[in-house]
Amino acid sequence: MNVLVVGANGQVGKLLVNLLRDNKEHTVKAMVRKEEQADALKKMDIEVSVACLEQSVEDIAQAARGCNAIVFTAGSGRLTGYDKTLLIDLDGAVKTIEAAELIGIKRFIMVSAIQAHRRENWHEKMLPYYAAKYYADKMLEQSELTYTIIRPGGLLNEPGTGMITAADDIRSGKIPREDVANTIIQSLTEENTYYQSFDLVAGNVPIRKALTLL
């Protein structure tokens, strides 16, 4: 697959782009919002599209042309206000879904947040963020896309182990970002993840096997 990574300048996005660049089964196109971010990626021989999630559906669709899968791993970040959470994590995600539908891309992987599907377990200090994730995920589920929604736990900046726990309802846990990125890659063609959503934390089952057990 030729995979568009939306949010390629984020921490998971950067790992994902690098792993896909070296992957024998897939190619990658990175979507970033600034020219200077694009320049750094081009120096690494990575194909880049410059587009902002606050632009139009057509602009995002143009960035995605030539791809047959999209991974949405963008986020507004902790330093922005809830206005950006609404515009990026919710509306930006939905516009990307609409862009995929517009140009006929069927495969779509959404990186969400652990327990986003259960309101009663949302972190009280992050309610707007969880609400954005919840409704973006719902819109994806109601689309015509072949979706997978991955809801990772607390993200760690440490080497991945290749071992995870993936299930519909995991109340808490953490996981290295590298393992999230590798789970995304394995999910691209693992048909058992199609039309599935799951929480994801560190565990003791190899990634490929864990995905077949969902």
Side-chain angles (χ1 to χ4, degrees):
M1 291 185 176
N2 188 21
V3 184
L4 179 74
V5 177
V6 179
N9 198 56
Q11 293 187 71
V12 171
K14 286 179 179 177
L15 285 168
L16 181 59
V17 167
N18 287 330
L19 289 168
L20 284 168
R21 179 193 57 184
D22 299 330
N23 189 283
K24 294 179 181 179
E25 296 181 24
H26 308 294
T27 54
V28 64
K29 182 192 253 187
M31 181 177 135
V32 295
R33 62 187 180 88
K34 295 180 180 179
E35 287 291 347
E36 55 264 36
Q37 296 167 345
D39 291 341
L41 288 164
K42 288 175 183 176
K43 290 177 182 177
M44 300 164 62
D45 292 323
I46 293 168
E47 185 180 4
V48 186
S49 283
V50 178
C52 177
L53 290 169
E54 293 182 62
Q55 293 174 264
S56 70
V57 170
E58 290 73 19
D59 288 329
I60 298 168
Q62 183 61 37
R65 291 195 184 278
C67 297
N68 49 20
I70 294 177
V71 177
F72 187 92
T73 184
S76 56
R78 294 183 178 181
L79 300 179
T80 62
Y82 287 135
D83 57 336
K84 292 296 184 183
T85 300
L86 180 65
L87 293 172
I88 302 300
D89 297 84
L90 176 52
D91 194 45
V94 173
K95 284 194 287 192
T96 307
I97 293 165
E98 293 172 356
E101 292 177 322
L102 182 66
I103 59 174
I105 295 175
K106 290 295 185 183
R107 190 71 179 106
F108 197 108
I109 295 180
M110 179 79 81
V111 180
S112 184
I114 192 168
Q115 290 290 297
H117 62 316
R118 299 191 183 278
R119 288 188 183 96
E120 64 273 19
N121 295 327
W122 291 356
H123 196 293
E124 191 156 339
K125 293 183 178 179
M126 301 172 65
L127 292 178
Y129 169 78
Y130 271 99
K133 290 295 187 184
Y134 176 88
Y135 285 103
D137 293 352
K138 285 291 184 184
M139 291 298 292
L140 180 56
E141 289 171 342
Q142 293 169 18
S143 75
E144 297 181 355
L145 305 181
T146 304
Y147 69 82
T148 301
I149 298 169
I150 300 173
R151 301 187 299 262
L155 297 170
L156 303 172
N157 287 323
E158 58 187 48
T161 66
M163 310 290 277
I164 63 169
T165 296
D168 178 64
D169 189 20
I170 302 173
R171 295 303 177 93
S172 63
K174 297 182 179 182
I175 185 167
R177 286 180 168 87
E178 185 178 357
D179 284 333
V180 175
N182 277 312
T183 299
I184 292 167
I185 293 171
Q186 295 288 345
S187 295
L188 281 167
T189 53
E190 173 50 65
E191 293 185 7
N192 198 51
T193 69
Y194 292 5
Y195 307 106
Q196 294 271 13
S197 59
F198 55 90
D199 293 327
L200 177 70
V201 297
N204 54 13
V205 181
I207 292 171
R208 186 178 293 276
K209 182 177 181 181
L211 296 179
T212 66
L213 297 174
L214 287 168

